[in-house]
Amino acid sequence: MQGWMIALIAVAAFVALIAIAFLIGALVFVHSILGRRKELSERAKKKKGHIANKFGVDSAWFDTVAATTSQATITAYDGVKLGARIIRQSEPTGRVAVCCHGYGATLGSTQVQAKMFYDRGFDVYMLAMRGHKGSGGKVGMAWIDRFDLSRWIDRIISDYGDNVQIALYGISMGGSTVISYAGMTPPPQIKCVIEDCGFSSQYDEYIASLKAAHLPKCCIHLFNIGLKLVHGYSLYDADMTKFAENMTLPALFFHGTKDDFVPFELGQKLYAACASAEKDFIAVEGAGHGCAYVTDKEKYTSAFTAFIDKHIAGSELVHFPVQPEPDKEEEAEATEAKADDAESSAEESITPPTAPLDN
């Protein structure tokens, strides 16, 4: 065999090895990001508890509504089993809120918003997003999740009837999910959408993540090849702004100015694309990713509840916070102290003159 043929074979073998390595890298890249999120260890669960506190989640609240809480499952368009936690009112009201959590989180992470809805008379569906605990499949990153949300909405309308009023809430990946769904000509039962720190497109989000990790932008091409092979769509297709441009539903957007996971600019871009005649953007100064509520509870709660009260007929505060009963001895002491203060005040009071005093 001539030398040039040997050299050609060697080059071809080298190129083939590079191609195989590139392909394996692409698949590993996609699996690491969009593969199924692993169940947490006990140690990780404890750590997660501290993280929950960071976002204002009060897990103890679920115990107070346990009597009217149930689990539900449906089958997605591709056969994946999807789960949800349903928290119902003691009496039906015809109002339902659907909450979609973010990437790497659990359905319990939307407890704050679920409680706000529940306290205003809503039944609440807390969805377990695909690829996360409670549902099967791999992570949909909003692009696939919009079809799952559509299945849940069909189920709700079937169960509650055509007169049901539905509000949608999503945070991070879940926020991009509800915006995508809202731009797919949703049924008239959907009355409004609340989006919290969602991204404008998968491309924008992954570029931001590469930048934060100090990785070159060219890695996006590697990821895109793996995405096509594993999930069957291109990264450049998964653009939530295209759906926002078709929206007509009232929409409320929240985003923290110090968000280092989904940059503030991506939330602004999604809002700017939204074609809804009635929309509002709440910028929470200094808030990190998913921390708009804990950073400014009053601002967040006021905007959130005013929005749903305006767009969902019958929405009003129906579950008031339970005040702890005062200690009887302390109550008696307080009463006695008030009486003493009143007596002392009466003794020290001076009747003002009816005319100016003479100097």
Side-chain angles (χ1 to χ4, degrees):
M1 183 178 293
Q2 296 183 4
W4 66 268
M5 293 183 65
I6 295 174
L8 184 61
I9 292 172
V11 170
F14 179 74
V15 171
L17 287 173
I18 293 295
I20 293 172
F22 190 84
L23 180 60
I24 293 174
L27 295 175
V28 170
F29 197 1
V30 168
H31 178 73
S32 65
I33 297 174
L34 299 181
R36 182 167 181 77
R37 300 298 92 187
K38 295 180 180 179
E39 296 292 327
L40 297 175
S41 64
E42 290 303 315
R43 182 178 179 181
K45 286 179 182 178
K46 290 181 180 180
K47 184 179 179 181
K48 201 76 172 180
H50 294 298
I51 295 174
N53 294 335
K54 176 183 176 182
F55 298 111
V57 174
D58 178 13
S59 298
W61 177 73
F62 292 114
D63 294 333
T64 68
V65 293
T68 56
T69 298
S70 60
Q71 308 297 322
T73 59
I74 60 172
T75 302
Y77 71 97
D78 57 354
V80 169
K81 295 295 181 182
L82 305 171
R85 178 182 297 169
I86 306 173
I87 304 173
R88 301 185 190 277
Q89 301 289 326
S90 55
E91 297 292 336
T93 64
R95 297 188 293 277
V96 175
V98 181
C99 297
C100 300
H101 67 75
Y103 175 80
T106 64
L107 57 80
S109 65
T110 58
Q111 179 272 327
V112 167
Q113 294 76 20
K115 183 179 186 300
M116 281 196 273
F117 278 121
Y118 179 81
D119 286 348
R120 308 194 84 75
F122 286 73
D123 286 357
V124 183
Y125 278 63
M126 304 176 74
L127 307 189
M129 309 298 278
R130 66 165 53 215
H132 294 76
K133 183 179 180 181
S135 288
K138 298 178 180 178
V139 177
M141 210 62 177
W143 183 250
I144 299 176
D145 298 306
R146 61 197 169 104
F147 298 114
D148 298 340
L149 179 55
S150 180
R151 284 292 178 108
W152 281 112
I153 297 302
D154 290 344
R155 165 75 175 269
I156 291 169
I157 295 173
S158 175
D159 289 348
Y160 285 79
D162 291 340
N163 293 325
V164 65
Q165 300 180 88
I166 303 173
L168 302 180
Y169 168 81
I171 186 167
S172 191
M173 178 186 76
S176 297
T177 298
V178 297
I179 292 297
S180 298
Y181 173 76
M184 291 171 59
T185 315
Q189 288 80 8
I190 308 296
K191 302 301 181 182
C192 59
V193 180
I194 301 177
E195 187 273 349
D196 191 336
C197 64
F199 47 82
S200 48
S201 70
Q202 284 193 15
Y203 177 83
D204 290 341
E205 175 55 21
Y206 291 136
I207 286 293
S209 297
L210 289 172
K211 183 178 179 180
H214 304 291
L215 293 173
K217 286 186 178 181
C218 62
C219 291
I220 203 75
H221 303 300
L222 180 67
F223 179 81
N224 193 42
I225 291 173
L227 187 65
K228 287 181 178 180
L229 292 172
V230 178
H231 290 274
Y233 67 90
S234 170
L235 177 65
Y236 303 99
D237 293 331
D239 188 348
M240 287 70 205
T241 62
K242 300 301 181 184
F243 294 101
E245 291 170 358
N246 293 327
M247 282 181 60
T248 57
L249 291 167
L252 176 64
F253 295 74
F254 289 99
H255 217 111
T257 60
K258 296 297 183 181
D259 195 327
D260 57 1
F261 187 70
V262 179
F264 182 68
E265 294 74 19
L266 301 193
Q268 290 181 308
K269 184 176 180 180
L270 190 59
Y271 170 76
C274 179
S276 299
E278 186 168 355
K279 63 179 183 177
D280 195 12
F281 186 89
I282 307 296
V284 182
E285 291 296 327
H289 188 62
C291 294
Y293 169 76
V294 293
T295 301
D296 195 334
K297 292 182 180 180
E298 184 177 350
K299 182 177 185 179
Y300 190 101
T301 303
S302 176
F304 192 105
T305 54
F307 181 76
I308 60 176
D309 285 352
K310 180 177 181 180
H311 297 291
I312 304 290
S315 174
E316 61 180 353
L317 188 63
V318 296
H319 297 288
F320 298 93
V322 178
Q323 299 295 332
E325 293 184 6
D327 183 271
K328 296 200 179 293
E329 290 185 7
E330 291 182 359
E331 190 176 38
E333 291 176 0
T335 302
E336 186 177 345
K338 285 182 180 178
D340 291 341
D341 290 342
E343 184 177 347
S344 174
S345 177
E347 291 175 354
E348 295 176 2
S349 64
I350 299 174
T351 302
T354 56
L357 293 173
D358 292 333
N359 291 329

